[in-house]
Amino acid sequence: GRSRDLGEFRFYPHKSHGLSGLYAALPVRINTAEDGQLHILFAKQGPVSSHDKGFVWGLVLIGLVIAILVMPVSRLITKPLKHLRNSALRIAEGDLSHRASIRSRDEIGELGVAFNRMADRLQSMIRGGKELTANVSHQLRSPLARIRVAGELLQEKHQRGDAGSTEGHLSSIREDVEEMDRMIGQLLTLSKLDIHEAALRPEALDPAAMVQGLLDRFKPMMDQKSIRLQTEIHFPPPFSADRETFTTALTSLLENACKYTPENGMVAVRLAPEEGGLRFAATNTTSRVLSEEQLQRIFDPFYRIEGSAPKGTGLGLAIARKAVEKLGGAIHASQSPGGLCISLVLPSMQGSPGKTENS
């Protein structure tokens, strides 16, 4: 086309390679002795080619395909998540028997399995708490009833001026108070182990010396019932464990063995290393043969075998199990030729134990 001259500025029509526009030449002074021109192209894109149109439609098609695929995939994800949410709300409202029915094998399925396991544990804990409350109420009611009857008898004798025969009732009241105090102390120990309120503090211990020290404490009880003691204690120190929890487990097992051994019976105590830890066993003679169900249930709180002669709260072995589990070990009851055997296996705890101490 024709150029257009506007004094010092000149404009030329321009079209090439699909681009059209206006081409301008502007005079500029390079230095005092030389002039030059600045060339500027004001271009606009021409009509879109068929190749560019295809590219645009391809992008649109890809976007549609992605949208079509994302919708069902999002539903596959959100549907089980909504189901888990509804299950959580049902359990929160009190339906502890409800479980999430998610059977997929992906990450959401694993989440469903973990959710149901949590629900099982929660239901077990709540049921156990209710049973414990009921058992505590029942166990405390008996000594309270005896104390009330003894108090009424003391009041009657006091009113009659008969103060000479009150010693028996006072002694009965003292025994019941001691029984209640012992039960409350065991309940506190059991609760403390159950809620894990204190962190374990591993230290280097001498288990052989600790077992021997506890046997010395129970010697008067054994002498009173003419119980023979057989020991097989071989364990080279140190052993790393939390002192208080380890002592609780050993004390509960030895007390149970001494309490339920008949007169002129025998208690056998064994301690030995086992695979990076230790095995402790207390066997006491008994005339009773326990069933497999009884061997499993003797670790339940307040469970007592029918016909057991000695008085007890039924908490000793429950405390032992909690203490052993807190230390990462296992406890087992079995019938042996020597009687009832309660054994535990404990691993040596990892930590920075200090200097070995003897009990």
Short mmCIF file of all heavy atoms in Angstrom, two decimals, residues 221-255:
data_model
loop_
_atom_site.label_atom_id
_atom_site.label_comp_id
_atom_site.label_asym_id
_atom_site.label_seq_id
_atom_site.Cartn_x
_atom_site.Cartn_y
_atom_site.Cartn_z
N MET A 221 4.11 -64.73 106.25
CA MET A 221 2.86 -65.32 105.78
C MET A 221 3.04 -66.80 105.48
O MET A 221 2.18 -67.63 105.82
CB MET A 221 2.36 -64.58 104.53
CG MET A 221 1.03 -65.12 104.00
SD MET A 221 0.54 -64.37 102.41
CE MET A 221 0.35 -62.65 102.90
N MET A 222 4.17 -67.14 104.85
CA MET A 222 4.42 -68.55 104.53
C MET A 222 4.69 -69.36 105.79
O MET A 222 4.24 -70.51 105.91
CB MET A 222 5.58 -68.66 103.53
CG MET A 222 5.24 -68.14 102.14
SD MET A 222 6.52 -68.44 100.89
CE MET A 222 7.68 -67.14 101.34
N ASP A 223 5.40 -68.78 106.74
CA ASP A 223 5.67 -69.50 107.99
C ASP A 223 4.37 -69.75 108.77
O ASP A 223 4.20 -70.81 109.38
CB ASP A 223 6.64 -68.70 108.85
CG ASP A 223 8.05 -68.69 108.26
OD1 ASP A 223 8.33 -69.54 107.39
OD2 ASP A 223 8.84 -67.80 108.65
N GLN A 224 3.47 -68.80 108.72
CA GLN A 224 2.20 -68.95 109.44
C GLN A 224 1.38 -70.12 108.91
O GLN A 224 0.67 -70.79 109.65
CB GLN A 224 1.39 -67.65 109.33
CG GLN A 224 0.12 -67.64 110.17
CD GLN A 224 -0.61 -66.31 110.04
OE1 GLN A 224 -0.29 -65.50 109.17
NE2 GLN A 224 -1.57 -66.08 110.92
N LYS A 225 1.49 -70.39 107.60
CA LYS A 225 0.75 -71.50 106.99
C LYS A 225 1.63 -72.71 106.72
O LYS A 225 1.18 -73.67 106.08
CB LYS A 225 0.13 -71.02 105.67
CG LYS A 225 -0.86 -69.87 105.85
CD LYS A 225 -1.29 -69.27 104.52
CE LYS A 225 -2.07 -70.24 103.68
NZ LYS A 225 -2.57 -69.62 102.44
N SER A 226 2.88 -72.68 107.25
CA SER A 226 3.83 -73.80 107.07
C SER A 226 4.03 -74.12 105.59
O SER A 226 4.06 -75.28 105.18
CB SER A 226 3.35 -75.04 107.83
OG SER A 226 3.22 -74.77 109.20
N ILE A 227 4.18 -73.07 104.80
CA ILE A 227 4.39 -73.24 103.36
C ILE A 227 5.87 -73.44 103.09
O ILE A 227 6.71 -72.67 103.56
CB ILE A 227 3.86 -72.02 102.58
CG1 ILE A 227 2.34 -71.90 102.75
CG2 ILE A 227 4.21 -72.14 101.10
CD1 ILE A 227 1.76 -70.66 102.11
N ARG A 228 6.19 -74.48 102.32
CA ARG A 228 7.57 -74.73 101.91
C ARG A 228 7.88 -73.89 100.66
O ARG A 228 7.06 -73.79 99.76
CB ARG A 228 7.79 -76.21 101.63
CG ARG A 228 7.71 -77.07 102.89
CD ARG A 228 7.79 -78.55 102.57
NE ARG A 228 6.59 -79.02 101.92
CZ ARG A 228 6.53 -79.49 100.69
NH1 ARG A 228 7.63 -79.52 99.94
NH2 ARG A 228 5.39 -79.92 100.17
N LEU A 229 9.06 -73.34 100.63
CA LEU A 229 9.48 -72.49 99.53
C LEU A 229 10.58 -73.16 98.73
O LEU A 229 11.58 -73.61 99.28
CB LEU A 229 9.96 -71.13 100.04
CG LEU A 229 10.47 -70.14 98.98
CD1 LEU A 229 9.37 -69.76 97.99
CD2 LEU A 229 11.06 -68.90 99.64
N GLN A 230 10.38 -73.21 97.43
CA GLN A 230 11.39 -73.77 96.52
C GLN A 230 11.75 -72.69 95.51
O GLN A 230 10.88 -72.14 94.83
CB GLN A 230 10.83 -75.01 95.79
CG GLN A 230 11.84 -75.70 94.89
CD GLN A 230 11.20 -76.87 94.17
OE1 GLN A 230 10.48 -76.70 93.18
NE2 GLN A 230 11.44 -78.07 94.66
N THR A 231 13.02 -72.38 95.42
CA THR A 231 13.46 -71.30 94.52
C THR A 231 14.48 -71.80 93.52
O THR A 231 15.29 -72.69 93.81
CB THR A 231 14.06 -70.13 95.31
OG1 THR A 231 15.20 -70.60 96.05
CG2 THR A 231 13.04 -69.53 96.27
N GLU A 232 14.40 -71.21 92.35
CA GLU A 232 15.38 -71.45 91.29
C GLU A 232 15.59 -70.11 90.59
O GLU A 232 14.94 -69.80 89.60
CB GLU A 232 14.86 -72.51 90.32
CG GLU A 232 15.91 -72.97 89.31
CD GLU A 232 15.38 -74.08 88.42
OE1 GLU A 232 14.48 -74.81 88.85
OE2 GLU A 232 15.86 -74.19 87.27
N ILE A 233 16.48 -69.33 91.16
CA ILE A 233 16.67 -67.95 90.72
C ILE A 233 18.07 -67.80 90.12
O ILE A 233 19.07 -67.88 90.84
CB ILE A 233 16.48 -66.97 91.89
CG1 ILE A 233 15.08 -67.14 92.49
CG2 ILE A 233 16.69 -65.53 91.44
CD1 ILE A 233 14.84 -66.33 93.75
N HIS A 234 18.12 -67.62 88.81
CA HIS A 234 19.39 -67.44 88.11
C HIS A 234 19.20 -66.34 87.07
O HIS A 234 18.61 -66.56 86.03
CB HIS A 234 19.83 -68.73 87.42
CG HIS A 234 19.97 -69.90 88.36
ND1 HIS A 234 20.95 -69.99 89.32
CD2 HIS A 234 19.22 -71.02 88.47
CE1 HIS A 234 20.81 -71.11 89.99
NE2 HIS A 234 19.76 -71.76 89.50
N PHE A 235 19.70 -65.15 87.38
CA PHE A 235 19.61 -64.05 86.42
C PHE A 235 20.75 -63.08 86.69
O PHE A 235 20.77 -62.39 87.71
CB PHE A 235 18.27 -63.32 86.52
CG PHE A 235 18.02 -62.39 85.36
CD1 PHE A 235 17.35 -62.84 84.24
CD2 PHE A 235 18.48 -61.08 85.39
CE1 PHE A 235 17.13 -61.99 83.16
CE2 PHE A 235 18.27 -60.24 84.31
CZ PHE A 235 17.60 -60.70 83.20
N PRO A 236 21.70 -62.99 85.75
CA PRO A 236 22.81 -62.03 85.93
C PRO A 236 22.33 -60.62 85.63
O PRO A 236 21.75 -60.38 84.57
CB PRO A 236 23.85 -62.50 84.92
CG PRO A 236 23.05 -63.19 83.85
CD PRO A 236 21.87 -63.81 84.53
N PRO A 237 22.55 -59.68 86.54
CA PRO A 237 22.13 -58.29 86.27
C PRO A 237 23.04 -57.67 85.22
O PRO A 237 24.13 -58.18 84.94
CB PRO A 237 22.29 -57.61 87.63
CG PRO A 237 23.34 -58.42 88.33
CD PRO A 237 23.19 -59.83 87.85
N PRO A 238 22.63 -56.54 84.61
CA PRO A 238 21.41 -55.79 84.93
C PRO A 238 20.25 -56.16 84.01
O PRO A 238 20.44 -56.80 82.97
CB PRO A 238 21.82 -54.35 84.72
CG PRO A 238 22.78 -54.43 83.55
CD PRO A 238 23.52 -55.74 83.74
N PHE A 239 19.08 -55.72 84.39
CA PHE A 239 17.87 -55.83 83.58
C PHE A 239 17.20 -54.47 83.59
O PHE A 239 16.99 -53.90 84.66
CB PHE A 239 16.95 -56.91 84.16
CG PHE A 239 15.62 -57.01 83.44
CD1 PHE A 239 15.53 -57.64 82.21
CD2 PHE A 239 14.48 -56.47 84.01
CE1 PHE A 239 14.31 -57.74 81.55
CE2 PHE A 239 13.26 -56.57 83.36
CZ PHE A 239 13.17 -57.20 82.12
N SER A 240 16.86 -53.96 82.43
CA SER A 240 16.31 -52.61 82.34
C SER A 240 14.79 -52.65 82.37
O SER A 240 14.17 -53.30 81.52
CB SER A 240 16.78 -51.92 81.05
OG SER A 240 16.28 -50.61 80.98
N ALA A 241 14.19 -51.95 83.35
CA ALA A 241 12.73 -51.89 83.47
C ALA A 241 12.37 -50.75 84.40
O ALA A 241 13.22 -50.19 85.10
CB ALA A 241 12.17 -53.21 83.98
N ASP A 242 11.10 -50.40 84.40
CA ASP A 242 10.59 -49.42 85.35
C ASP A 242 10.45 -50.10 86.71
O ASP A 242 9.73 -51.09 86.84
CB ASP A 242 9.23 -48.90 84.88
CG ASP A 242 8.65 -47.86 85.82
OD1 ASP A 242 9.03 -46.69 85.73
OD2 ASP A 242 7.82 -48.24 86.67
N ARG A 243 11.14 -49.58 87.73
CA ARG A 243 11.21 -50.25 89.01
C ARG A 243 9.84 -50.44 89.65
O ARG A 243 9.48 -51.53 90.10
CB ARG A 243 12.12 -49.47 89.97
CG ARG A 243 12.14 -50.01 91.41
CD ARG A 243 13.08 -49.20 92.28
NE ARG A 243 14.46 -49.43 91.89
CZ ARG A 243 15.18 -50.48 92.30
NH1 ARG A 243 14.64 -51.39 93.09
NH2 ARG A 243 16.42 -50.60 91.92
N GLU A 244 9.04 -49.36 89.69
CA GLU A 244 7.76 -49.43 90.38
C GLU A 244 6.80 -50.42 89.72
O GLU A 244 6.17 -51.24 90.40
CB GLU A 244 7.11 -48.03 90.41
CG GLU A 244 5.78 -47.99 91.14
CD GLU A 244 5.17 -46.59 91.15
OE1 GLU A 244 5.83 -45.65 90.66
OE2 GLU A 244 4.04 -46.45 91.66
N THR A 245 6.71 -50.38 88.40
CA THR A 245 5.79 -51.27 87.69
C THR A 245 6.27 -52.71 87.79
O THR A 245 5.45 -53.64 87.97
CB THR A 245 5.68 -50.85 86.22
OG1 THR A 245 5.39 -49.45 86.14
CG2 THR A 245 4.59 -51.62 85.52
N PHE A 246 7.57 -52.94 87.68
CA PHE A 246 8.12 -54.29 87.79
C PHE A 246 7.88 -54.85 89.19
O PHE A 246 7.49 -56.01 89.35
CB PHE A 246 9.62 -54.24 87.47
CG PHE A 246 10.28 -55.59 87.46
CD1 PHE A 246 9.75 -56.63 86.72
CD2 PHE A 246 11.45 -55.80 88.18
CE1 PHE A 246 10.37 -57.88 86.70
CE2 PHE A 246 12.07 -57.04 88.16
CZ PHE A 246 11.53 -58.08 87.42
N THR A 247 8.07 -54.03 90.21
CA THR A 247 7.83 -54.48 91.58
C THR A 247 6.35 -54.79 91.79
O THR A 247 6.01 -55.77 92.49
CB THR A 247 8.28 -53.40 92.57
OG1 THR A 247 9.67 -53.10 92.36
CG2 THR A 247 8.09 -53.86 94.01
N THR A 248 5.47 -54.00 91.22
CA THR A 248 4.03 -54.25 91.34
C THR A 248 3.66 -55.61 90.76
O THR A 248 2.88 -56.36 91.36
CB THR A 248 3.23 -53.15 90.61
OG1 THR A 248 3.52 -51.89 91.23
CG2 THR A 248 1.75 -53.41 90.68
N ALA A 249 4.22 -55.96 89.60
CA ALA A 249 3.91 -57.25 88.98
C ALA A 249 4.40 -58.41 89.83
O ALA A 249 3.66 -59.37 90.08
CB ALA A 249 4.54 -57.31 87.58
N LEU A 250 5.64 -58.33 90.30
CA LEU A 250 6.19 -59.41 91.12
C LEU A 250 5.43 -59.55 92.44
O LEU A 250 5.11 -60.66 92.88
CB LEU A 250 7.68 -59.15 91.40
CG LEU A 250 8.62 -59.15 90.19
CD1 LEU A 250 10.05 -58.86 90.65
CD2 LEU A 250 8.57 -60.48 89.47
N THR A 251 5.14 -58.43 93.08
CA THR A 251 4.43 -58.47 94.37
C THR A 251 3.06 -59.11 94.22
O THR A 251 2.65 -59.93 95.06
CB THR A 251 4.30 -57.05 94.93
OG1 THR A 251 5.59 -56.47 95.07
CG2 THR A 251 3.60 -57.07 96.29
N SER A 252 2.33 -58.75 93.17
CA SER A 252 0.99 -59.30 92.97
C SER A 252 1.04 -60.80 92.76
O SER A 252 0.20 -61.54 93.30
CB SER A 252 0.33 -58.62 91.77
OG SER A 252 0.21 -57.23 91.97
N LEU A 253 2.01 -61.29 91.99
CA LEU A 253 2.10 -62.73 91.74
C LEU A 253 2.48 -63.49 93.00
O LEU A 253 1.90 -64.55 93.31
CB LEU A 253 3.11 -63.01 90.63
CG LEU A 253 2.73 -62.57 89.22
CD1 LEU A 253 3.73 -63.09 88.22
CD2 LEU A 253 1.34 -63.06 88.86
N LEU A 254 3.46 -62.99 93.75
CA LEU A 254 3.88 -63.69 94.97
C LEU A 254 2.80 -63.65 96.04
O LEU A 254 2.58 -64.64 96.75
CB LEU A 254 5.18 -63.06 95.49
CG LEU A 254 6.42 -63.29 94.63
CD1 LEU A 254 7.62 -62.54 95.20
CD2 LEU A 254 6.74 -64.79 94.55
N GLU A 255 2.10 -62.53 96.17
CA GLU A 255 1.02 -62.44 97.15
C GLU A 255 -0.11 -63.41 96.80
O GLU A 255 -0.67 -64.06 97.68
CB GLU A 255 0.48 -61.01 97.20
CG GLU A 255 -0.60 -60.81 98.25
CD GLU A 255 -1.09 -59.38 98.30
OE1 GLU A 255 -0.74 -58.60 97.42
OE2 GLU A 255 -1.83 -59.04 99.25
#
